Amino acid sequence: MIAHASRSLSIVGAGLAGSLLAILLSRQGWRITLYERRGDPRIADYESGRSINLALAERGGGGGGGAGGAVEVIARGGMFFGGIVFTPH
């Protein structure tokens, strides 16, 4: 890593892209403030109609792999072929 003066950045939106950008920049020494409008979807009484299900294509693994989460995500996930979900159990 190249030594830089302290850098800071605010990111609006903690979805997939905002969270990944925050992780990658923080590893490069950036001080990140991440803002999200919606509450935590893991909390009871979360806004109905919102799903946190996610499909990850093999070609889309580059970003998550760079953040170090691909192995855990793949280990916990299931296979998805032609619109049919297969669980690993």
Side-chain angles (χ1 to χ4, degrees):
M1 179 168 72
I2 300 172
H4 293 287
S6 179
R7 296 181 182 179
S8 62
L9 179 71
S10 293
I11 299 174
V12 178
L16 295 174
S19 296
L20 180 59
L21 181 61
I23 291 168
L24 296 176
L25 288 177
S26 68
R27 289 183 179 170
Q28 295 297 316
W30 287 73
R31 182 176 174 198
I32 304 296
T33 304
L34 187 58
Y35 296 96
E36 174 56 48
R37 175 179 56 162
R38 294 188 175 97
D40 188 336
R42 298 170 295 179
I43 297 174
D45 297 329
Y46 182 69
E47 180 180 345
S48 65
R50 295 279 178 195
S51 174
I52 59 170
N53 295 325
L54 174 66
L56 177 65
E58 184 176 358
R59 68 178 184 273
V71 172
E72 184 175 349
V73 169
I74 291 168
R76 293 174 180 244
M79 302 300 291
F80 186 103
F81 297 106
I84 301 170
V85 177
F86 297 90
T87 60
H89 306 319

